[in-house]
Amino acid sequence: MEILVEGDIILESVSRRVENYGQELCDLLENLRDTVKDAGGIGIAAPQVGILLRVVVVCVDEKEIIEMVNPEIVETSGVQRMREGCLSCPDFLAVTRRPEKVKVEAYDRNGKKFKINASGLKACAICHEIDHLDGVLFKSRLDASELFRTLKFGKFLW
């Protein structure tokens, strides 16, 4: 699927909750999995491919692919600084502040509710993708105290 880039109004829009679980949702999840893998990312949200539904895929490592439908962060703790990038903001890396740990409630592709606890990079990726569902790009999460480390097009910004 084609990944939308910063400036597209869809990336600034709030996504709708998934109401129908069926083949169309399964197909979307498979396409998101393929798209993030082909792009070399660790996560993708449906709005990034032009679909305003609350659906994300996170694959921090090849052993675990997390599919979340209608995810909600129910608890956070700690703070971490993490260098982030985004498939919708190519050639831009920045240091952000995210929770060190998150607890998320979501549904799987069959509509079964589950909870997941995540920390470190996985917590960061989950928060990043859920932000996309609310029309928030990671650039709004930049840590001003770390801004000098921000890379754009391979050059330091001062």
Side-chain angles (χ1 to χ4, degrees):
M1 301 179 87
E2 181 180 341
I3 298 171
L4 303 179
V5 295
E6 183 179 23
D8 193 302
I9 193 71
I10 290 175
L11 294 173
E12 299 173 17
S13 303
V14 176
S15 297
R16 300 179 315 275
R17 289 185 60 80
V18 172
E19 302 293 335
N20 299 313
Y21 294 81
Q23 190 58 50
E24 192 172 323
L25 176 61
C26 292
D27 291 345
L28 173 58
L29 285 162
E30 291 301 321
N31 285 330
L32 288 172
R33 289 172 90 144
D34 292 343
T35 301
V36 73
K37 181 180 175 185
D38 291 346
I42 63 171
I44 194 165
Q48 290 181 272
V49 295
I51 300 170
L52 287 173
L53 287 175
R54 298 188 77 80
V55 177
V56 303
V57 172
V58 174
C59 47
V60 173
D61 62 54
E62 293 181 18
K63 299 174 188 172
E64 181 182 29
I65 297 175
I66 305 165
E67 298 176 343
M68 292 180 283
V69 178
N70 298 328
E72 291 183 35
I73 297 172
V74 296
E75 188 176 319
T76 66
S77 64
V79 175
Q80 64 178 326
R81 287 187 190 122
M82 185 76 61
R83 192 174 78 183
E84 282 188 50
C86 181
L87 296 174
S88 293
C89 302
D91 301 318
F92 188 90
L93 297 173
V95 176
T96 59
R97 287 182 189 235
R98 298 279 188 182
E100 172 63 32
K101 296 179 182 180
V102 295
K103 182 183 290 185
V104 178
E105 292 180 353
Y107 296 85
D108 68 14
R109 62 175 54 211
N110 299 310
K112 183 178 178 186
K113 192 172 189 175
F114 69 95
K115 294 179 184 179
I116 185 167
N117 294 307
S119 62
L121 180 58
K122 189 185 302 183
C124 180
I126 288 171
C127 291
H128 178 113
E129 298 311 330
I130 290 175
D131 273 355
H132 276 297
L133 304 180
D134 296 320
V136 176
L137 286 175
F138 88 107
K139 285 184 173 184
S140 69
R141 303 278 188 200
L142 295 185
D143 182 343
S145 68
E146 298 279 348
L147 191 55
F148 70 94
R149 294 181 184 215
T150 300
L151 296 170
K152 184 172 183 176
F153 303 108
K155 297 180 181 177
F156 282 101
L157 295 179
W158 295 102

